[in-house]
Amino acid sequence: MAVANIPPGEEIEVEIQFQQVVALSNGVFSLRFPMVVGPRYIPGRPLMADSDVGTIQFSGTGWAMDTDRVPDASRITPPVASDRQQNPVRLMVELAAGFPVSRLESLYHGITVEDKERDVKVLHFDGSVKADRDFVLEWEAAQQYHPHAALFSEKHGGDTYLLMMLSPPTLDLTGQAPPREVVFVLDTSGSMAGPSIVQAREALILAISRLSEHDRFNVIEFNSDSRRLFDHAEAADAEHRKKAIRFVSSLKAEGGTEIARALDLALDGRKNHERIRQVMFLTDGSVGNEKELLAMIASRLGDSRLFTVGIGSAPNSYFMSRAAGMGRGSYTYIGKTSEVEEKMARLFQKLEHPAITDIAVKNSSGKSLLGYPNPIADLYAGEPLVVSLKIPEGNEQEVLSISGHLGLDLWQEQVDLQKLAERPGIATLWARKKIRSLMDSLALGAMEEDVRREVLNTALAHHLVSRYTSLVAVEKEVSRPPEEDLRQSALRSNLPHGWQAQKIFGGTAKTATPAQLQIVIGAFLLLIAFLFLFWGRRQRA
């Protein structure tokens, strides 16, 4: 966001509204509000501006130069604040859960909770807090008020939009899990130094120890380079598990974040694997080349499933959630070491048991409806799946059929569109998901002009901000004479809690920048300057 014409000493107030679906997993509702952007790893060669001297290009105010792999690097790398700057944040939440709440907890910030009215609670920070970690709120329904599967609708422009929450059938979680091939990928770059690498090692050791002897597995670690523990997936017997745990325990955090090399090792592009193949990716995702990486996931996924685990106080949720969605998996966030055992246990229980796959939604005539996310993700025990759908005008009387595969068996459920609960905002959520899917398709080779046209049509019809549409406020009163100059300034971002600046910006192996390349460029420019100086002196002589 950019705000112009702010006079010295004056205040500008900006109000933004947005809608978001609350996450629900194993009966726990959660809401995450990001409050800081961590420095990102910027790979690639610097772009040169069109000039006689070929100056390095900066299109924004960030600390990184634009590169061929991250052309907007200078726009996504805000300058980092000193320890003295706090970027204070005040926050107040009015929670209308719709049912009595048995547990309400802010995971990473102290809060005060007050009862406002029946089933409505107000919570707020005590004063302001430093914006160096994300705010996460969790709550659970009282035992006698279990939430049930829901179907909401809204009419917009003659069409009917649906938000459908699918609950999985009851599965036997006590039986033996089917044999799997599990590939664990661990980020050991500089941004993972400190609490993050401790959390990641503990999570991975716990994962390895839970493997069944019927499983096969491998471990990949990456920073500026990548390496596999085994040449190929090995049996998860006691000897191989012990070797893997020793390997993981010895890992340290340093270097860059070259995720592409790790993905190349983890994803083989094959389909029809003999076993269920799951790739678990543990990282903070602090990269700027998301588009390149998403394209790689789409081309090499095959029938594998990719599960991302965000580590640290401020992981790159944009990349982590998109990667999991494209990989037909899920995203788990771990913000502190004490959460590792509980959250990883939930994830393992889900991965160790059969999922309903190849989910499709069809109308009465058997025609598949386009839903978002697209493709629709798998359905796991204990974790409902939320799907947005659009029913064209005149088809509101239909019965929808939802089908998939539970192991080798066909699973099917009917949904009657006559039993709809009207809620505002459903059409907007559908439009946002469609725009997100369209933008993701650019990474898969879609023509940008076609995508731009579709995004424009959708965004304008639903009044949404996108890459091609913006909200612009025009000041009618002249507050700055034309002859007065503007001074541009970028708001500095805090370093995320637990990150170590020397591991990111110090030395020659950096997560935030391709440091060795910049040193070479700097030396080259100094050499050119020296030659010009030497040549000038000779000319004068």
Side-chain angles (χ1 to χ4, degrees):
M1 181 176 62
V3 182
N5 291 339
I6 305 177
E10 293 292 328
E11 258 187 24
I12 299 293
E13 184 174 302
V14 180
E15 183 176 305
I16 298 175
Q17 289 186 346
F18 68 95
Q19 292 173 315
Q20 179 176 332
V21 177
V22 172
L24 173 60
S25 178
N26 293 298
V28 178
F29 294 87
S30 63
L31 176 68
R32 179 167 175 242
F33 182 71
M35 298 205 303
V36 63
V37 176
R40 305 191 193 191
Y41 175 71
I42 306 297
R45 296 187 301 274
L47 295 176
M48 295 294 185
D50 294 330
S51 65
D52 295 336
V53 294
T55 55
I56 294 172
Q57 182 168 319
F58 287 84
S59 61
T61 56
W63 48 259
M65 62 190 77
D66 299 333
T67 73
D68 57 344
R69 293 172 65 184
V70 190
D72 61 347
S74 62
R75 295 172 55 215
I76 64 171
T77 53
V80 177
S82 65
D83 290 338
R84 295 186 300 275
Q85 185 170 347
Q86 302 294 307
N87 287 345
V89 172
R90 294 178 180 270
L91 182 141
M92 188 273 289
V93 176
E94 183 177 297
L95 178 63
F99 47 78
V101 173
S102 65
R103 182 179 74 90
L104 177 62
E105 182 181 1
S106 167
L107 299 188
Y108 312 120
H109 296 86
I111 58 171
T112 298
V113 180
E114 302 170 357
D115 292 322
K116 181 178 180 181
E117 54 190 72
R118 182 180 178 184
D119 298 339
V120 177
K121 295 183 181 295
V122 175
L123 55 97
H124 54 83
F125 292 156
D126 296 326
S128 61
V129 301
K130 181 180 180 180
D132 65 349
R133 67 184 77 187
D134 296 343
F135 171 75
V136 179
L137 184 68
E138 287 189 353
W139 65 97
E140 296 181 53
Q143 190 170 3
Q144 67 269 32
Y145 290 93
H146 288 300
H148 53 79
L151 181 65
F152 302 105
S153 72
E154 182 186 24
K155 284 189 176 295
H156 180 85
D159 298 320
T160 300
Y161 296 85
L162 304 179
L163 184 68
M164 182 166 51
M165 185 174 74
L166 305 177
S167 294
T170 302
L171 301 177
D172 180 12
L173 302 182
T174 61
Q176 180 177 307
R180 302 173 297 152
E181 179 183 334
V182 186
V183 180
F184 301 105
V185 186
L186 178 61
D187 180 355
T188 57
S189 63
S191 64
M192 292 284 288
S196 294
I197 192 64
V198 175
Q199 295 164 19
R201 283 197 303 253
E202 288 190 9
L204 191 46
I205 290 172
L206 186 60
I208 293 170
S209 64
R210 285 182 61 116
L211 290 171
S212 162
E213 293 196 354
H214 301 284
D215 296 329
R216 303 181 69 83
F217 80 109
N218 207 342
V219 179
I220 298 171
E221 70 110 356
F222 73 95
N223 41 55
S224 298
D225 205 350
S226 301
R227 57 171 172 158
R228 281 187 289 223
L229 174 60
F230 306 119
D231 293 335
H232 50 78
E234 294 285 359
D237 53 35
E239 181 181 349
H240 286 116
R241 291 201 304 268
K242 187 176 181 179
K243 182 176 181 179
I245 291 173
R246 284 200 307 267
F247 172 76
V248 171
S249 300
S250 67
L251 296 177
K252 294 181 174 59
E254 57 187 359
T257 315
E258 284 291 347
I259 290 182
R261 298 175 186 174
L263 286 174
D264 188 55
L265 291 178
L267 302 176
D268 59 10
R270 288 177 49 204
K271 294 188 176 181
N272 301 317
H273 285 91
E274 295 180 359
R275 298 164 173 262
I276 297 175
R277 193 172 194 270
Q278 299 168 339
V279 178
M280 185 182 296
F281 214 101
L282 297 92
T283 177
D284 58 15
S286 295
V287 293
N289 57 325
E290 292 99 336
K291 181 179 177 180
E292 174 190 4
L293 298 175
L294 292 174
M296 190 173 186
I297 291 170
S299 64
R300 294 187 57 82
L301 184 67
D303 64 2
S304 299
R305 298 297 193 262
L306 177 63
F307 298 85
T308 56
V309 180
I311 299 292
S313 57
N316 181 352
S317 292
Y318 167 80
F319 169 68
M320 305 287 280
S321 58
R322 295 295 194 283
M326 192 166 286
R328 288 175 289 179
S330 63
Y331 169 45
T332 301
Y333 170 48
I334 297 176
K336 56 185 179 182
T337 306
S338 60
E339 295 178 339
V340 170
E341 185 171 355
E342 177 190 357
K343 290 195 173 182
M344 293 303 290
R346 291 183 193 171
L347 179 60
F348 299 147
Q349 186 180 65
K350 182 171 71 174
L351 301 189
E352 290 165 2
H353 293 84
I356 298 176
T357 60
D358 306 319
I359 295 176
V361 181
K362 298 181 180 180
N363 60 15
S364 301
S365 60
K367 181 180 179 181
S368 294
L369 297 177
L370 179 59
Y372 298 104
N374 181 33
I376 298 176
D378 297 337
L379 187 61
Y380 290 94
E383 185 167 308
L385 177 65
V386 178
V387 181
S388 291
L389 297 164
K390 177 182 177 181
I391 307 297
E393 187 175 7
N395 297 306
E396 298 87 349
Q397 310 300 320
E398 292 190 286
V399 174
L400 298 185
S401 173
I402 309 162
S403 62
H405 290 95
L406 177 55
L408 299 177
D409 300 325
L410 178 66
W411 171 81
Q412 192 167 3
E413 188 170 314
Q414 303 290 328
V415 176
D416 187 355
L417 294 187
Q418 297 299 305
K419 300 176 181 179
L420 299 179
E422 291 280 343
R423 290 290 187 276
I426 303 302
T428 301
L429 288 172
W430 177 89
R432 285 180 56 199
K433 290 176 179 292
K434 179 180 179 180
I435 291 173
R436 177 182 294 180
S437 179
L438 287 167
M439 298 309 301
D440 287 345
S441 70
L442 289 173
L444 310 181
M447 298 295 293
E448 182 161 8
E449 186 55 39
D450 295 337
V451 170
R452 183 178 185 275
R453 182 172 56 252
E454 278 291 307
V455 170
L456 276 174
N457 292 338
T458 305
L460 292 175
H462 294 269
H463 309 292
L464 293 175
V465 173
S466 69
R467 180 184 293 185
Y468 311 113
T469 55
S470 299
L471 298 178
V472 181
V474 180
E475 187 179 28
K476 294 183 178 181
E477 294 183 11
V478 178
S479 60
R480 180 180 62 88
E483 64 273 11
E484 291 290 333
D485 291 333
L486 283 171
R487 185 175 66 181
Q488 189 175 17
S489 178
L491 180 66
R492 293 180 175 272
S493 176
N494 291 322
L495 197 67
H497 176 77
W499 286 33
Q500 299 179 10
Q502 69 272 19
K503 289 286 188 177
I504 300 170
F505 295 106
T508 58
K510 307 176 184 177
T511 286
T513 63
Q516 294 175 337
L517 174 64
Q518 294 182 20
I519 291 173
V520 171
I521 292 173
F524 178 68
L525 293 175
L526 286 173
L527 177 61
I528 291 177
F530 174 77
L531 291 175
F532 269 111
L533 179 64
F534 179 74
W535 179 78
R537 288 180 175 176
R538 288 197 59 179
Q539 288 293 101
R540 287 195 296 273

